[in-house]
Amino acid sequence: MDTRRTAARARALARANPWCVDIGVALLVQAAMTMPFVVPRPVGAPPATWAAYGLTTLTVLPLVWRRRAPVTVLLAVLTTGGLYQVALDGPGQPLPYTGLVVVHTIAALSPPAKRLGVLLSLPPVVGASVWLNSRSLRELTFSLFVLGAAYAFGRLADTRQAYIAAVEDRAAQLERANRIEAERSAARERARIAREMHDILSHAVSLMIVQAEAGPVAVRTDPQKAEAAFDAISEAGRDAMAQLRRMLGVLREDEEPGAPRAPQPDAGDLPALIDRVRAGGLEVSCCTEGTARALPPATGATVFRVVQEALTNVVKHAGPAQASVLLRHGPGALEITVTDDGRGPGPAGAPGTTGGHGLTGIRERAAAHGGTASAGAGPGGRGFEVRVVLPVPTGTYGAPPGT
């Protein structure tokens, strides 16, 4: 059995039932003080009378209230004890049990002023008691020693209780902090999944809408072009479904523990992305400046999603346009620029210059890597431009991304 857990349960039970604990202590002391009355008495010893036993019980009874009024209980014990020594000649006790319990309680529970007062009053009170009883220096020394020990153990108990309370409070704070961090992590993960789903679905659906709108005209004028449009629709749908399964597969580990986990798309998948966009009817060019190098997996996925969302915005908002993607590899940073020559932002900054999930997601992705993102009118006020700068740490992460 775990002793720490048992001790913690015992403390909790004692805190929940203080009256039961105090009554139990009083009964235990009463049992100890009954012993001299039931064991055989030596010849010539004071008799064990019922009156003496009744006064002994009155000395123990105040212990039931020792936590609530410890100083008052001490005065009651001293009064009944003095009356026992003065008025009756009954059996003596090997230890001042009631005094020990009350002094321990005062040392453990009372405020400093009361504790100090009781500590200073012990020598004269004990001296007077010994003078009334035996006038023995040995008894005086022994009584002062055991009462001083009871006081010291009371202070140790108070210190230990304060330490336990501090440890439990710290543990509670850590538990709250861990719970809050877990909730924040869950919120960040939900936001990440929502952002990924938005990017995937927005890109696929936008391409499908453009092709579907052009399909009826192409069916009547150019059947071959209509067939290509339908192929582009199906390809965009299949790609979206594949990306969704790949992204959400980690959420179904219990259902499919043996399912393979494909990596997230990265910068090496940009050529396939651009080909799908071209198949949708948007003319896109892509070029790279600087020395291309391998990217960390998370950075590569962000590069792919930024370009995907920027091209999706071109398809949705730019109208008839051409787009260009530029990846500029600099020292310690990668700059991504997606520019189109379409209608550009509207009077209020549309499309998405100040709001919208797409550009908001781009800014969040850049910020997650310590980078920056900006969006607005293109060069010379023509078209629209999305520019993202991502810090890229030095290191080897595999093959350089393809373009």
Side-chain angles (χ1 to χ4, degrees):
M1 182 179 294
D2 190 345
T3 56
R4 292 185 178 180
R5 184 175 300 176
T6 303
R9 290 178 179 176
R11 288 194 298 269
L13 184 62
R15 286 194 295 265
N17 303 276
W19 277 104
C20 295
V21 174
D22 293 341
I23 292 173
V25 170
L27 292 176
L28 183 62
V29 173
Q30 179 66 29
M33 297 186 71
T34 301
M35 292 301 174
F37 289 88
V38 297
V39 297
R41 305 289 297 160
V43 178
T49 63
W50 284 107
Y53 186 73
L55 190 55
T56 299
T57 302
L58 290 178
T59 305
V60 176
L61 185 61
L63 294 182
V64 176
W65 293 273
R66 65 187 182 92
R67 295 175 187 266
R68 293 148 193 84
V71 176
T72 303
V73 170
L74 177 61
L75 294 175
V77 168
L78 292 175
T79 301
T80 54
L83 182 61
Y84 184 89
Q85 291 179 345
V86 172
L88 296 172
D89 189 17
Q93 298 292 335
L95 285 173
Y97 298 108
T98 53
L100 292 175
V101 172
V102 178
V103 169
H104 180 277
T105 303
I106 291 174
L109 302 180
S110 294
K114 290 184 178 181
R115 293 200 307 263
L116 182 60
V118 170
L119 184 63
L120 294 177
S121 66
L122 282 179
V125 171
V126 172
S129 176
V130 171
W131 186 81
L132 290 174
N133 186 30
S134 65
R135 301 184 184 183
S136 168
L137 180 60
R138 180 180 179 180
E139 182 182 354
L140 175 62
T141 305
F142 178 75
S143 299
L144 288 176
F145 174 77
V146 294
L147 288 172
Y151 185 91
F153 281 119
R155 294 305 307 136
L156 288 175
D158 180 47
T159 303
R160 181 175 179 273
Q161 188 63 32
Y163 173 76
I164 292 174
V167 170
E168 291 177 348
D169 182 65
R170 178 59 178 167
Q173 291 178 359
L174 290 176
E175 183 179 357
R176 287 195 298 270
N178 291 336
R179 185 173 62 253
I180 292 173
E181 180 59 29
E183 292 173 353
R184 290 176 177 173
S185 298
R188 288 194 295 267
E189 183 64 12
R190 287 194 296 270
R192 185 193 70 81
I193 293 175
R195 189 166 55 240
E196 294 283 342
M197 292 187 66
H198 171 272
D199 291 351
I200 294 171
L201 296 177
S202 177
H203 176 75
V205 172
S206 296
L207 293 180
M208 294 167 70
I209 289 175
V210 170
Q211 294 298 324
E213 289 177 343
V217 177
V219 167
R220 293 190 296 269
T221 59
D222 190 346
Q224 186 175 1
K225 187 176 181 180
E227 183 177 349
F230 293 138
D231 290 340
I233 291 174
S234 63
E235 178 64 24
R238 282 193 297 269
D239 179 70
M241 290 298 297
Q243 291 193 55
L244 286 175
R245 283 195 297 267
R246 180 166 53 186
M247 182 189 68
L248 299 178
V250 295
L251 302 179
R252 299 199 304 266
E253 291 182 352
D254 293 337
E255 299 177 12
E256 302 178 25
R261 297 289 180 260
Q264 285 287 328
D266 59 15
D269 297 311
L270 287 178
L273 170 68
I274 291 174
D275 288 342
R276 287 195 299 272
V277 175
R278 286 172 179 160
L282 178 66
E283 186 176 342
V284 184
S285 63
C286 180
C287 62
T288 301
E289 295 183 2
T291 302
R293 59 185 183 276
L295 301 174
T299 305
T302 295
V303 172
F304 181 89
R305 294 301 184 197
V306 166
V307 174
Q308 181 186 54
E309 182 57 34
L311 292 178
T312 301
N313 283 342
V314 174
V315 173
K316 291 168 62 177
H317 303 294
Q322 297 179 349
S324 64
V325 178
L326 172 63
L327 302 180
R328 182 178 290 113
H329 295 268
L334 171 62
E335 180 180 332
I336 310 163
T337 305
V338 180
T339 308
D340 68 74
D341 57 0
R343 64 172 61 99
T353 56
T354 60
H357 295 292
L359 293 179
T360 299
I362 290 177
R363 294 187 182 97
E364 290 176 351
R365 290 179 185 278
H369 293 275
T372 60
S374 60
R382 182 184 178 189
F384 196 77
E385 180 181 86
V386 175
R387 181 174 177 270
V388 175
V389 179
L390 299 176
V392 178
T394 58
T396 302
Y397 301 94
T403 56

